[in-house]
Amino acid sequence: MEIYDHPTFRMACRQFDLVADHLQIPESERDRLKFPKRSMTVALPIHCDNGSTKVFMGYRVQHHLTLGPTKGGLRYHPDVTLGEVAALAMWMSWKCALTGLPYGGAKGGIACDPTKMSRNELERLTRRYTQEMIPFIGPQVDVMAPDLGTNEQVMAWMMDTYSVHVGATVPSIVTGKPVGLGGSLGRREATGRGVGYLVNRASDSIGLDMSKATAVVQGFGNVGSIAALSLARYGVKVIAVSDVQGAIYNSGGLELWDLEKHVAKNKTVAGFSESEPLTNHQLLVLPCDILVPAALERQITEANAGKIQCRILAEAANGPTTPEADLILNQRPEIFVIPDVLCNAGGVIVSYFEWVQDLQSFFWGETEVVDKLFRILETAYTQVVSLSRKQKLPLRLAALSLGIKRVQEAKRIRGLFP
Ligand code: NAD
């Protein structure tokens, strides 16, 4: 499928092909499982603050609709392409199936740099994108959520634009909204909190004492910052973090609360006092117990996979490890990889809770949300680890096998129309 050609899409396809071989999925079923059901590309003209008009490209890919509506984030980043979005949509499908959510995967994005746009420009861009997507989305069709470069405010504008179009308030059109608009308690923290929970489970599995462990986190946005705080609550010392502008290190542990204040003021971790700067490349190969990539895809590659020095690789980002790097990591049994489709599933699980609450107009307390989140993660973790042990599979292959097999079975039972 040439329209999707992109290194990240090729990577997602290669992972799929490995699993399809492992599960012995017949050739006749492979393309149907692999390729997205629908994809949309839209041109988005907006008025800029300086009076000019600029056109941005927007995308949405819905991977499969076999198990329910599609679900997935919306990304604002200069490098967004249709192929990248298609890969992320595919991974969402396997993640939702692995955790037993009644969704197919989707992903969207706009090629833009939100850090260089005003709030008004971002609002106009978001509303125009939502307007263009209206024929293809809906609470029972496709539900968006925040991802890289988007946040609760972006979701609020989307919800408002859709609701104005329909003529009634429709909170269930997006998740990750502000709590005051029908968002769920615990959604903002869900992905990072889930990462903390799973690292704790992995530590149990390999006999690592969290209270004596160190962690390095790449990316200090929604997921990375909450993952760092969550690990700190388990007693872990976070010794280095980074963002797009730079990385910082303190062998004695970073003061995360002070760092949060520094980031709120300066919009970057760079320049934080009581830390020394280092490059993102150095950060990934620092000796530590827990390495958490929480930024972009394809960060652990064949160039650095042999050099990373951690005991747990917790993939908070989507697709941070390339298949070439996987081959190297598979030869390093001392590293326990929590694969992305499991590691960052907390976000979509609580998005699912938010959607359910919105549909029922009946809202839960945070304790209930967190309790239900951990139960689903526990079940998925146990299934992945036991399959991996039983069949001697790398954890990624085990996790993807569980997800892909469930989608395959659902497609088989429903049959092929006409
Ligand atoms: P975010 O925009 O809030 O934060 C991203 C962070 O990564 C920022 O600190 C940014 O500066 C940093 N970053 C960007 N490019 C970088 C680079 N080249 N090197 C180092 N740091 C860089 O986004 P987020 O919501 O935290 O998402 C992060 C990752 O987690 C993405 O892969 C996303 O798909 C994945 N994810 C997010 C959620 C969610 O609920 N938000 C759920 C599942 C997975």
Side-chain angles (χ1 to χ4, degrees):
M1 288 263 176
E2 276 173 28
I3 55 162
Y4 299 120
D5 193 38
H6 183 273
T8 308
F9 188 70
R10 286 199 290 274
M11 174 177 154
C13 288
R14 215 170 130 199
Q15 290 177 346
F16 173 85
D17 293 340
L18 279 173
V19 176
D21 288 344
H22 170 71
L23 293 175
Q24 299 183 322
I25 295 175
E27 286 298 334
S28 58
E29 291 179 38
R30 292 192 183 195
D31 284 358
R32 193 176 156 216
L33 265 169
K34 179 158 72 171
F35 292 118
K37 169 91 176 167
R38 288 186 197 135
S39 59
M40 282 70 73
T41 300
V42 288
L44 305 165
I46 63 154
H47 292 297
C48 300
D49 291 349
N50 65 8
S52 66
T53 302
K54 199 166 171 192
V55 179
F56 295 86
M57 295 310 291
Y59 309 96
R60 185 74 180 166
V61 173
Q62 298 167 352
H63 183 251
H64 79 82
L65 290 143
T66 309
L67 287 161
T70 50
K71 186 85 194 73
L74 174 67
R75 173 173 289 199
Y76 288 179
H77 190 275
D79 298 337
V80 163
T81 65
L82 182 66
E84 181 191 61
V85 167
L88 291 160
M90 207 194 288
W91 286 326
M92 279 301 292
S93 287
W94 316 143
K95 190 186 306 179
C96 291
L98 169 65
T99 47
L101 307 183
Y103 294 134
K107 207 78 176 188
I110 303 179
C112 68
D113 186 347
T115 62
K116 299 209 170 87
M117 295 172 71
S118 72
R119 182 185 161 94
N120 284 337
E121 288 169 338
L122 278 175
E123 177 172 355
R124 287 194 282 271
L125 185 60
T126 302
R127 288 186 183 277
R128 184 66 192 229
Y129 175 83
T130 311
Q131 176 66 39
E132 297 293 343
M133 287 296 151
I134 278 175
F136 311 104
I137 58 175
Q140 298 299 340
V141 182
D142 183 16
V143 181
M144 300 205 201
D147 190 73
L148 200 78
T150 55
N151 54 24
E152 290 182 358
Q153 179 60 71
V154 171
M155 292 304 114
W157 290 325
M158 296 192 85
M159 180 266 209
D160 182 69
T161 309
Y162 186 84
S163 298
V164 167
H165 173 84
V166 172
T169 297
V170 188
S172 53
I173 185 61
V174 289
T175 59
K177 301 175 290 296
V179 171
L181 289 182
S184 177
L185 291 168
R187 170 61 186 90
R188 191 189 306 153
E189 300 82 3
T191 312
R193 206 175 245 165
V195 173
Y197 180 85
L198 292 164
V199 169
N200 186 40
R201 292 294 288 113
S203 299
D204 280 350
S205 300
I206 64 167
L208 174 72
D209 181 351
M210 294 263 288
S211 68
K212 298 198 178 99
T214 56
V216 167
V217 181
Q218 183 198 39
F220 203 69
N222 173 295
V223 177
S225 64
I226 306 282
L229 284 169
S230 171
L231 290 173
R233 282 206 189 94
Y234 284 102
V236 174
K237 195 159 68 175
V238 179
I239 56 170
V241 301
S242 70
D243 63 23
V244 70
Q245 298 194 46
I248 55 166
Y249 170 63
N250 182 333
S251 59
L254 295 159
E255 278 301 332
L256 294 178
W257 293 113
D258 292 345
L259 180 59
E260 288 269 309
K261 283 187 216 143
H262 173 87
V263 172
K265 189 164 161 220
N266 301 287
K267 309 279 173 246
T268 175
V269 298
F272 179 58
S273 58
E274 291 169 47
S275 72
E276 45 187 281
L278 72 173
T279 64
N280 250 309
H281 169 72
Q282 291 168 322
L283 174 119
L284 290 174
V285 297
L286 267 182
C288 62
D289 296 302
I290 302 153
L291 177 60
V292 186
L296 300 170
E297 302 91 63
R298 295 182 288 117
Q299 298 300 300
I300 317 277
T301 64
E302 58 188 330
N304 61 10
K307 298 182 194 149
I308 64 172
Q309 304 182 61
C310 61
R311 296 192 60 202
I312 296 173
L313 175 60
E315 295 185 341
N318 285 304
T321 307
T322 65
E324 295 77 18
D326 265 338
L327 292 176
I328 298 168
L329 293 177
N330 292 346
Q331 302 303 315
R332 298 188 62 189
E334 76 277 16
I335 299 180
F336 187 104
V337 179
I338 311 175
D340 53 0
V341 288
L342 173 64
C343 192
N344 66 36
V348 71
I349 293 169
V350 178
S351 273
Y352 164 62
F353 297 161
E354 181 173 327
W355 180 72
V356 168
Q357 292 171 76
D358 287 339
L359 290 174
Q360 300 183 343
S361 298
F362 180 64
F363 293 90
W364 313 343
E366 188 159 0
T367 314
E368 189 174 355
V369 169
V370 176
D371 180 52
K372 286 185 160 76
L373 164 66
F374 288 172
R375 276 199 231 179
I376 293 182
L377 287 177
E378 180 60 35
T379 305
Y381 178 83
T382 309
Q383 288 174 346
V384 170
V385 171
S386 70
L387 181 67
S388 158
R389 285 193 182 142
K390 205 158 99 194
Q391 298 190 4
K392 299 202 178 355
L393 303 176
L395 287 152
R396 185 184 321 284
L397 187 55
L400 289 172
S401 295
L402 286 164
I404 291 173
K405 199 169 173 36
R406 285 177 192 157
V407 181
Q408 181 202 13
E409 279 169 5
K411 281 192 185 286
R412 245 191 214 168
I413 297 165
R414 282 187 64 160
L416 178 57
F417 180 83

